[in-house]
Amino acid sequence: MQRYFIEETVSLNETFVMDTKHIHHIKNVMRAKIDDEFNIVDKTGSAYAVQLTDLEPVTYKVTEKIESEVELPVNITLYSPLLKGDKMDVVIQKSTELGAHEFVLYKAERSVVKLTAKKEDSRLIRYEKIAREAAEQSRRTKIPGISFAEKLTAMDFTKYDLVLFAYEDNNLKGRSIKNVLSASAAHTIAVVFGPEGGFSEKEAEIFKSYENVALGRRILRAETAPLYALSVIGSYYE
Ligand code: SAH
């Protein structure tokens, strides 16, 4: 069932005019007809089944509340450096499917990609669209937040219950994510990944006081690492 995130709050049995940003999709991609059904998620994160009542303008009636919980019981924030080419698009799309709560794109010492503030703004629009479409397609009730950030040294990690530092040099001796989770009752979890060239020693130093985890024994590419971590976390909780 097609799902759309809308920017207002709806209530059962009421009729609403659809947000303009979804009209093209409803009319031209779905080729919807009166009485067709689809799902919406409103501003409060509640999902509903709705039925199309009019096409000019696109109007729907809210017919049923969908109670099933599809979100992970923990909030996972991924800290990733900006990756080269379309790799960031892939990480954002796939990590959204796998349940990520938020992305923080920080500047690693060995970051290959460097953007001006203006470029960051236009990138953000693209990444937000990718996240929204992935959330709609995977029938989530939350669109992950995305932001750009400065260096790891300037960041405040105290707001998280648990910080997992995915350090490639710990591939053979680091704890597994599963092992750390089983000894923790964390609700908010940050997972920090390095860039294509790995972490610098200075960055690795910051994380001495946090949990250093191994993502298996093999070294994964920067775009594979978050997907491994999220899959392990998902299979632990679900
Ligand atoms: N070029 C580096 C690897 C960088 S991999 C090297 O060969 O050493 C990119 C990022 O993925 C790493 O910084 C780390 O955050 C994560 N990563 C990849 N494999 C990992 C593993 N087995 N354990 C922990 N982290 C890993």
Side-chain angles (χ1 to χ4, degrees):
M1 182 77 67
Q2 182 62 42
R3 172 166 291 212
Y4 301 102
F5 284 87
I6 60 157
E7 264 145 41
E8 58 183 331
T9 309
V10 300
S11 39
L12 213 54
N13 300 319
E14 303 278 324
T15 300
F16 298 88
V17 175
M18 189 49 144
D19 284 5
T20 45
K21 68 168 177 252
H22 298 307
I23 289 178
H24 167 73
H25 196 272
I26 290 174
K27 284 188 171 175
N28 306 322
V29 181
M30 300 306 289
R31 298 190 177 278
K33 297 182 290 299
I34 308 275
D35 290 343
D36 279 3
E37 293 181 346
F38 53 94
N39 294 164
I40 56 142
V41 179
D42 78 355
K43 211 171 73 178
T44 66
S46 299
Y48 296 91
V50 306
Q51 193 165 26
L52 202 64
T53 55
D54 203 341
L55 276 166
E56 292 301 336
V58 174
T59 308
Y60 58 87
K61 186 176 178 189
V62 180
T63 53
E64 195 186 328
K65 187 157 198 284
I66 300 168
E67 299 287 357
S68 54
E69 182 54 271
V70 296
E71 295 297 328
L72 284 172
V74 286
N75 283 352
I76 311 292
T77 302
L78 298 183
Y79 282 77
S80 169
L82 198 60
L83 304 177
K84 266 204 310 201
D86 66 356
K87 286 180 190 164
M88 203 73 246
D89 297 16
V90 173
V91 167
I92 289 173
Q93 186 192 56
K94 304 297 172 210
S95 302
T96 301
E97 291 169 33
L98 291 166
H101 179 74
E102 199 182 340
F103 299 93
V104 180
L105 310 179
Y106 74 91
K107 293 173 182 59
E109 295 218 335
R110 294 189 188 143
S111 277
V112 196
V113 193
K114 292 192 174 68
L115 296 182
T116 60
K118 204 173 149 207
K119 274 248 169 83
E120 278 188 358
D121 289 346
S122 61
R123 249 344 144 78
L124 203 56
I125 293 171
R126 178 164 115 206
Y127 295 152
E128 281 171 345
K129 182 166 184 276
I130 291 172
R132 179 174 58 76
E133 288 176 356
E136 285 172 350
Q137 109 80 35
S138 54
R139 301 190 194 171
R140 290 188 58 178
T141 52
K142 273 184 203 144
I143 307 174
I146 306 174
S147 57
F148 281 95
E150 291 308 310
K151 295 188 172 109
L152 283 182
T153 38
M155 236 155 281
D156 174 21
F157 288 103
T158 56
K159 60 183 172 188
Y160 299 103
D161 301 336
L162 181 66
V163 182
L164 303 177
F165 176 39
Y167 189 26
E168 62 274 14
D169 285 357
N170 274 352
N171 63 326
L172 297 177
K173 54 184 192 296
R175 288 175 77 186
S176 69
I177 292 181
K178 198 169 76 182
N179 188 293
V180 176
L181 294 181
S182 65
S184 155
H187 181 65
T188 55
I189 304 176
V191 196
V192 190
F193 304 91
E196 289 91 339
F199 286 110
S200 70
E201 274 173 32
K202 205 161 119 200
E203 286 167 334
E205 194 64 30
I206 312 170
F207 286 95
K208 286 224 163 116
S209 50
Y210 296 107
E211 281 295 351
N212 287 209
V213 289
L215 308 178
R217 293 175 160 248
R218 293 156 301 281
I219 299 298
L220 309 174
R221 289 224 181 207
E223 69 273 26
T224 316
L227 309 185
Y228 176 98
L230 282 167
S231 303
V232 170
I233 295 170
S235 85
Y236 180 80
Y237 287 104
E238 292 178 338

